Amino acid sequence: MKACKLPVLLLAALVLASCGDSTAAPADSTSADTTAPVTEAVTESVPTEADEHPLPEVNMNGMPFRILNYNQQTLTWALIDQVVDEENGESINDEIFRRNSRISEKYNIVFEETEDENVPTTYRKVLMSGEDLYEIGMPYDSQTAALYSDGLIRSWDCLPYVDLERSWWDQNANSVFNIRGKQFAAVGDFYLGMLTRGFVIVFNKELLASADIDENLYELVRTNKWTLEKYIEIAKLFPADLNGDGKMEESDQYGTAGAIKLHFGSLAIGCGAKYFSYDKDGNPYFSVGEDTHTLEVFEKIYDLHDGTNIYFQHYHDTFHSGSNESREMFLEGRSIFQGSSTKGIEYYRDSDFDIGILPYPKYDETQAEYHILCSECGVATIPVTLPEDRLENVSIILEALSRDGQQNLIPTYKEVVLKSKYSRDEDSAEMLDIIFNASTYDLGLSIWPDQTHFKYMTDFLNWRNNFVSTTETIEKVAQIQVKKLLEAIEENT
């Protein structure tokens, strides 16, 4: 900095020297020097988190980085591509191509992606055979604990350059996939799967305006007043017998519709429902019976829906189906709210009306944060067949991919795709920032949904308030599941 300032000081001295002659104005002269003082802007570069934790620069000599992943035709509810052949003008595709090109060139590796319609089955078969076919596998989240218990995937502490505490790794997800300090799966910014799987609410802005509601929904979110009761209060304004036959049927208008697990599951998680906690030794346990808030959430959701026509249920034999039908109902202007994954927002891009985007509501105004349900998607795992001599390289690539993803892929998805193409107002863009920071995971969602979360969804499916007795039944099964997992971890550690 001193070297930069020196020429300015010399110039100033020369100017003063040249002015010190007989033509200089006397001290009492009325002429004044109006020259503005010379200032210099100093810009200091602030080191980024990545700068403070540099990765080794290694020539990996054309090493293949092989990924086992679902195909997009099978796992349609999230954006899951990790390797693409070329740029095609689509923002996400092109950024993945550029990202991989940067990493390939820097480390001299070759990306290869095997797409499969049944990743857990294929993955398990390959791992049990001992074949070295993949650097990482992307099985369903609910399959990961079993894979680790069976000794088929590694704990991530084998990867020396992966730092899961960094901001490019999802801390909420990582804490769920960590039992007794053993990290058997992870979610990072190199992969859009879970980010695009999170459930949100879209609403029909024109239908909302027709009800002459004084309150601004976005402002309710900002001021912590977007609560379960407020959501139900607004939804109750819209059911209507459109054909006038005195019955509420599929052709009529409702507050919302959708799959049971999407609608009631997202409301429950949004209100802070939690299935598992951890004891002082880091052991998970089913905690619904102990922490009564979750039961209060289920019962309040049930009571607020009971006897109303705010929700239309398309299927009565499964809690998984109904999303496609409810989407059509919403696009036809026959519901005010619609639950959707963030990827699913693309279906409303060409709607005849403007849409808004909201997080799922809080339980009440005392709830500190919004919660967005995330589950049922692929997560990254390290196969046990990966040789020791490639662990360092794989850890460098995974870390580099997530760092690059945070800087480029995630902003592309947020800014270009959602905020520019699908979200038609700045308020919804602000809501998306809240939503992306509210991803919520739980062992009852990501590891044992069949034994826990889906049992409660079955109660909603059959419209019965059996939540207390269901909890008592689940507790026995959950204890067995946890015990098996902990014993297996102990054996394979």
Side-chain angles (χ1 to χ4, degrees):
M1 295 304 298
K2 291 181 180 178
C4 292
K5 290 182 178 179
L6 185 58
V8 176
L9 296 176
L10 287 175
L11 177 61
L14 291 172
V15 171
L16 290 173
S18 66
C19 293
D21 57 18
S22 59
T23 62
D28 58 352
S29 171
T30 58
S31 67
D33 183 4
T34 59
T35 304
V38 176
T39 59
E40 180 181 1
V42 178
T43 302
E44 294 186 9
S45 60
V46 178
T48 66
E49 186 178 5
D51 293 332
E52 293 175 344
H53 303 277
L55 289 171
E57 295 188 8
V58 180
N59 183 343
M60 299 184 185
N61 301 311
M63 183 192 89
F65 190 86
R66 301 161 299 176
I67 305 167
L68 175 63
N69 196 10
Y70 285 94
N71 60 52
Q72 191 69 75
Q73 293 72 36
T74 300
L75 207 160
T76 60
W77 47 87
L79 292 175
I80 61 172
D81 286 336
Q82 295 191 57
V83 179
V84 297
D85 294 331
E86 59 185 1
E87 294 184 81
N88 63 7
E90 289 294 328
S91 301
I92 297 302
N93 177 94
D94 292 356
E95 180 49 46
I96 291 173
F97 181 84
R98 291 191 292 265
R99 186 272 310 273
N100 290 352
S101 296
R102 287 190 292 269
I103 301 299
S104 295
E105 181 177 351
K106 183 172 183 178
Y107 294 104
N108 190 11
I109 65 168
V110 178
F111 285 99
E112 299 175 6
E113 184 173 33
T114 299
E115 296 184 350
D116 195 282
E117 63 181 13
N118 193 338
V119 169
T121 299
T122 299
Y123 198 31
R124 178 175 286 275
K125 181 179 179 180
V126 168
L127 297 177
M128 292 184 70
S129 73
E131 292 182 272
D132 171 23
L133 297 183
Y134 314 114
E135 270 60 52
I136 62 170
M138 305 293 297
Y140 236 43
D141 48 357
S142 59
Q143 300 292 321
T144 54
L147 287 168
Y148 187 72
S149 297
D150 293 338
L152 298 176
I153 57 177
R154 292 174 176 266
S155 172
W156 282 55
D157 55 15
C158 71
L159 303 175
Y161 294 105
V162 169
D163 189 345
L164 294 175
E165 295 183 0
R166 297 297 155 208
S167 60
W168 41 81
W169 295 99
D170 190 323
Q171 306 303 310
N172 294 329
N174 294 342
S175 63
V176 168
F177 299 115
N178 189 311
I179 306 294
R180 286 186 175 175
K182 296 301 180 181
Q183 190 83 37
F184 49 85
V187 176
D189 286 348
F190 70 94
Y191 176 65
L192 290 174
M194 279 298 187
L195 183 69
T196 58
R197 174 59 174 164
F199 290 116
V200 301
I201 294 173
V202 295
F203 66 94
N204 183 328
K205 297 175 75 172
E206 293 181 15
L207 191 57
L208 183 71
S210 70
D212 194 27
I213 297 174
D214 292 334
E215 293 167 306
N216 182 300
L217 300 191
Y218 300 123
E219 196 60 30
L220 290 175
V221 174
R222 296 187 187 104
T223 58
N224 221 36
K225 295 179 180 179
W226 180 234
T227 63
L228 177 61
E229 288 189 354
K230 178 60 67 174
Y231 169 82
I232 297 297
E233 174 189 322
I234 294 173
K236 282 182 177 180
L237 299 175
F238 293 93
D241 179 11
L242 297 181
N243 59 17
D245 64 357
K247 296 181 293 184
M248 289 296 291
E249 299 173 319
E250 185 168 355
S251 59
D252 293 317
Q253 179 174 291
Y254 294 84
T256 190
I260 292 283
K261 69 175 183 180
L262 192 162
H263 176 67
F264 292 102
S266 294
L267 285 175
I269 298 305
C271 289
K274 184 177 178 65
Y275 300 112
F276 283 84
S277 298
Y278 295 85
D279 63 21
K280 59 182 179 62
D281 297 319
N283 299 319
Y285 67 96
F286 180 70
S287 57
V288 175
E290 172 187 284
D291 179 7
T292 58
H293 175 70
T294 296
L295 283 177
E296 291 172 357
V297 166
F298 288 141
E299 290 173 352
K300 188 168 185 177
I301 291 172
Y302 181 93
D303 290 341
L304 289 173
H305 282 74
D306 196 29
T308 71
N309 290 310
I310 60 176
Y311 170 73
F312 182 80
Q313 184 174 341
H314 286 92
Y315 290 88
H316 295 270
D317 59 345
T318 173
F319 47 72
H320 292 290
S321 298
S323 296
N324 294 340
E325 292 83 355
S326 66
R327 183 192 310 145
E328 293 305 312
M329 180 178 286
F330 182 78
L331 286 170
E332 291 169 3
R334 292 190 293 107
S335 63
I336 181 64
F337 295 125
Q338 166 70 2
S340 173
S341 66
T342 50
K343 177 186 182 294
I345 297 172
E346 68 186 31
Y347 295 118
Y348 310 106
R349 181 177 181 179
D350 298 323
S351 62
D352 294 331
F353 48 84
D354 285 341
I355 66 169
I357 302 171
L358 299 167
Y360 270 85
K362 296 181 177 183
Y363 183 69
D364 57 30
E365 294 182 33
T366 66
Q367 183 173 313
E369 299 174 336
Y370 289 97
H371 297 295
I372 300 300
L373 187 158
C374 288
S375 66
E376 297 184 274
C377 196
V379 292
T381 63
I382 310 302
V384 72
T385 53
L386 184 65
E388 297 286 334
D389 61 4
R390 288 211 305 278
L391 291 175
E392 286 197 8
N393 283 355
V394 169
S395 70
I396 291 171
I397 298 305
L398 282 170
E399 186 77 358
L401 285 170
S402 283
R403 294 181 183 206
D404 192 289
Q406 183 188 64
Q407 294 297 314
N408 300 292
L409 181 61
I410 302 300
T412 297
Y413 179 64
K414 286 183 178 181
E415 304 294 331
V416 178
V417 177
L418 283 178
K419 292 186 179 180
S420 298
K421 291 186 177 180
Y422 306 140
S423 172
R424 302 179 184 180
D425 58 72
E426 293 182 2
D427 291 310
S428 285
E430 179 187 348
M431 296 299 106
L432 286 170
D433 289 332
I434 294 173
I435 288 164
F436 287 134
N437 290 322
S439 299
T440 301
Y441 300 80
D442 187 281
L443 287 171
L445 301 172
S446 290
I447 302 300
W448 295 301
D450 290 328
Q451 294 83 1
T452 57
H453 178 62
F454 292 155
K455 295 297 185 185
Y456 293 110
M457 294 304 103
T458 300
D459 283 342
F460 283 114
L461 172 70
N462 296 292
W463 203 246
R464 60 193 183 199
N465 186 344
N466 285 353
F467 305 122
V468 172
S469 59
T470 296
T471 299
E472 294 172 353
T473 302
I474 289 174
E475 193 157 16
K476 300 173 185 176
V477 177
Q479 288 174 344
I480 294 173
Q481 295 294 325
V482 171
K483 182 179 179 181
K484 286 181 178 178
L485 174 61
L486 294 177
E487 289 176 350
I489 288 176
E490 190 72 28
E491 292 175 5
N492 292 310
T493 298

